[in-house]
Amino acid sequence: MMRLKLSLLRNGLRRSGGRRAAYVVSAVLALLFAVLQLAGLVALRGHAHIASAAVPVVAVLAVGWAVMPLFFPSGDETLDPTRLAMLPLRPRPLVRALLAASLIGVGPLFTALIAAGCVIAVAHGAVAYAVGVVAAALVLLVCTALARAVAAANVRLLSSRKGRDLAVLSGLVVAVGTQLVDFGMRQLGSAGLERLAPVADVLSWAPPASAVGAVDAASAGAYGTAAARLAVTAAALAALLAAWARSLDRLMTAPDASTIQPAETAAGGRSRTAGLARLLPSGRTGAVMERSLRYVWRDPKTKAAWVTSLAIGLIVPVFNALQGTGTPYFACFAAGMLGVQMYNQFGQDTSAFWMVALAVSTPRDAYLELRGRALALLLVTVPYAVLVTALTTGLLGDWSRLPEVLGLSFALLGAMLATGAWTSARFPYSVPQEGHKNVAPGQAGLACVAIVGGMVSSALLSAPVIALAVWTHVSASGGHWSGLVLPVGAAYGAGLTLLGLRLAAPRTAARLPEILASVSRG
């Protein structure tokens, strides 16, 4: 298995020079980061609260090993044990062989360096160093076994459509994780490592961080506690290997249930969205809303765009409020990020738009189609904008700005729905279903004009409500009228939406062949 791993790695790098260059650059950067972390941990040796940092570092490392197979299943071909199903191999010997093969690569070397740095940072005395050798080995084995167990338990999910959804969302997880790390570092910079002490005390009993906790306990002379924490880590390793073996046995002996369509009964054969459909309007509008919401839930690209917008719309105002640098007006990001989803409505359908085009023959049909899509977006955006605005103003302790910010958000949302409907008909472009590109080749300029032009137009259309909000602050008597921003902004946004839909409907009906040709290119 170790020779197989080396052969797969060598043959993969032979495919192209670009792949070799990417691998070498990523490996050098990862190892450079690991070496710097090792040096930093060693430099902190002797700090009073170094254990409060070393223990959580190993815990975060383990979380990374657990989630990476879900987001990057194609990064290691040996993560898929179903490729070995036809070979005469028993699960338990196979577990040992695959575990040994898992120790080959940049990831295990990175983990070994970090684990060594954490052990050196907290070890004091010969006994602690002896415990540290065992602890570092356990950390590496638990991390690799954890990744293998997670991959084996979810291998059929990872090869399905839901698995591709996870891969598409991996960039979002990295972005959110970066924000969380940045926020944590800011908090630590102002409070010091002692703020992590309560967290480290809990994690010191959670594998594999408990191995580093054992080294810290041995340094303090608590040999019984050190032995107990090492035993907890070893027990976790044994449990992971047993779970991995069971998953391998099931994968190699049981059929793939995901390919078997269960028999539908009278009670259970209804669609999972039947409950939602009953809440939507009847007729064509409700049907369009349900179709749009199904796309959001089922299409990987559409789901990724929505989840990214939801996350950024929440992160920007809330994190700035938590850091004390925010303002209630940052809550408008919530409406703005989801309002962008109104742009290129037909491009999200790709080649399936021809079925929509068959049902659109008049401007009235086009208006109903656009109205249904806008209402589906409003069904999510309005409560979301209210929630984010209330959360932001609450964190800042400035509840008096809540109506004003909501009014501005609703005006901005209405403007973006209006311009989004018009640009969807005037500048449609295709969204490729494969890969990570959101624009088909040759249509980048079209997408830029549609999105940037639409956003600038939305800002200009929102100017009257913005001017009203500014007037309530600068005028001597304007403070008494600040409550009007909410109803005026809501009414103004609704009027803009209706006007935009009315203007976009005739253009949509007239340009159906051009729209179909443009969105089908991907």
Side-chain angles (χ1 to χ4, degrees):
M1 284 298 168
M2 298 179 74
R3 288 196 299 269
L4 174 62
K5 178 68 175 287
L6 291 172
S7 297
L8 289 172
L9 179 61
R10 182 174 59 253
N11 294 336
L13 295 178
R14 287 177 176 175
R15 293 182 182 178
S16 66
R19 182 164 183 167
R20 287 193 297 272
Y23 180 83
V24 170
V25 171
S26 61
V28 169
L29 291 178
L31 294 179
L32 179 61
F33 179 79
V35 170
L36 292 176
Q37 290 293 310
L38 172 62
L41 288 167
V42 173
L44 288 174
R45 187 174 183 273
H47 190 282
H49 299 282
I50 182 58
S52 300
V55 172
V57 163
V58 175
V60 172
L61 194 64
V63 171
W65 275 92
V67 301
M68 284 302 104
L70 299 178
F71 295 131
F72 304 102
S74 60
D76 185 355
E77 291 87 346
T78 61
L79 284 175
D80 187 359
T82 57
R83 301 187 181 192
L84 309 174
M86 300 302 295
L87 300 178
L89 302 171
R90 294 184 180 275
R92 292 195 179 278
L94 184 59
V95 164
R96 293 193 295 268
L98 288 176
L99 182 61
S102 300
L103 300 178
I104 299 174
V106 177
L109 181 56
F110 177 90
T111 303
L113 292 173
I114 298 296
C118 292
V119 167
I120 295 173
V122 300
H124 298 280
V127 176
Y129 276 108
V131 173
V133 173
V134 179
L138 284 175
V139 168
L140 179 58
L141 291 175
V142 168
C143 287
T144 52
L146 178 60
R148 289 290 180 168
V150 170
N154 297 278
V155 64
R156 284 172 176 164
L157 168 67
L158 298 177
S159 60
S160 64
R161 177 180 57 83
K162 292 183 178 180
R164 292 192 294 272
D165 291 354
L166 289 173
V168 171
L169 296 177
S170 60
L172 173 64
V173 174
V174 173
V176 174
T178 303
Q179 292 292 328
L180 291 174
V181 170
D182 178 68
F183 177 70
M185 294 302 295
R186 288 174 181 268
Q187 296 297 314
L188 289 178
S190 60
L193 292 177
E194 61 271 15
R195 189 163 185 172
L196 287 175
V199 178
D201 290 340
V202 175
L203 293 177
S204 62
W205 289 97
S210 54
V212 178
V215 180
D216 183 53
S219 299
Y223 301 122
T225 302
R229 289 174 176 174
L230 280 181
V232 168
T233 310
L237 177 60
L240 288 172
L241 294 177
W244 185 9
R246 285 196 301 271
S247 297
L248 288 178
D249 184 68
R250 184 175 64 253
L251 287 170
M252 295 184 175
T253 58
D256 187 357
S258 66
T259 61
I260 303 175
Q261 181 68 31
E264 294 184 352
T265 62
R270 291 183 295 179
S271 171
R272 285 182 292 180
T273 59
L276 175 62
R278 286 195 295 267
L279 302 177
L280 299 177
S282 59
R284 179 166 186 161
T285 299
V288 173
M289 292 178 67
E290 184 178 1
R291 177 184 5 109
S292 298
L293 295 174
R294 282 177 181 267
Y295 280 175
V296 173
W297 182 251
R298 294 183 176 181
D299 180 63
K301 284 294 183 70
T302 306
K303 180 186 292 187
W306 271 77
V307 173
T308 302
S309 297
L310 289 168
I312 295 178
L314 178 66
I315 287 173
V316 170
V318 170
F319 273 55
N320 279 279
L322 289 174
Q323 294 173 7
T325 59
T327 169
Y329 300 106
F330 279 172
C332 294
F333 268 93
M337 290 303 300
L338 286 186
V340 174
Q341 303 307 314
M342 188 64 187
Y343 293 89
N344 195 37
Q345 277 290 309
F346 307 128
Q348 299 172 6
D349 299 354
T350 63
S351 58
F353 179 71
W354 71 270
M355 293 186 291
V356 176
L358 289 176
V360 176
S361 57
T362 64
R364 174 65 179 174
D365 294 335
Y367 173 76
L368 294 176
E369 176 71 25
L370 290 170
R371 187 180 68 177
R373 293 174 183 248
L375 289 175
L377 194 148
L378 286 172
L379 189 65
V380 178
T381 306
V382 171
Y384 174 73
V386 173
L387 175 64
V388 173
T389 305
L391 183 60
T392 304
T393 53
L395 290 174
L396 293 172
D398 196 0
W399 290 102
S400 61
R401 299 284 181 90
L402 178 61
E404 178 185 345
V405 176
L406 278 179
L408 291 172
S409 296
F410 292 156
L412 175 63
L413 178 61
M416 297 189 79
L417 291 177
T419 56
W422 191 85
T423 57
S424 294
R426 182 63 182 84
F427 303 108
Y429 57 90
S430 179
V431 179
Q433 293 300 296
E434 300 296 333
H436 295 276
K437 292 183 178 181
N438 292 319
V439 182
Q443 293 185 327
L446 195 65
C448 183
V449 170
I451 297 176
V452 177
M455 294 177 69
V456 172
S457 301
S458 298
L460 294 176
L461 289 174
S462 304
V465 180
I466 297 175
L468 174 62
V470 172
W471 176 78
T472 61
H473 288 282
V474 300
S475 175
S477 60
H480 301 290
W481 302 97
S482 60
L484 284 178
V485 178
L486 175 56
V488 170
Y492 184 75
L496 284 180
T497 300
L498 292 175
L499 179 62
L501 296 177
R502 291 288 184 184
L503 294 177
R507 182 173 291 274
T508 301
R511 300 189 73 249
L512 282 177
E514 292 87 346
I515 295 174
L516 180 59
S518 182
V519 302
S520 300
R521 289 185 58 179

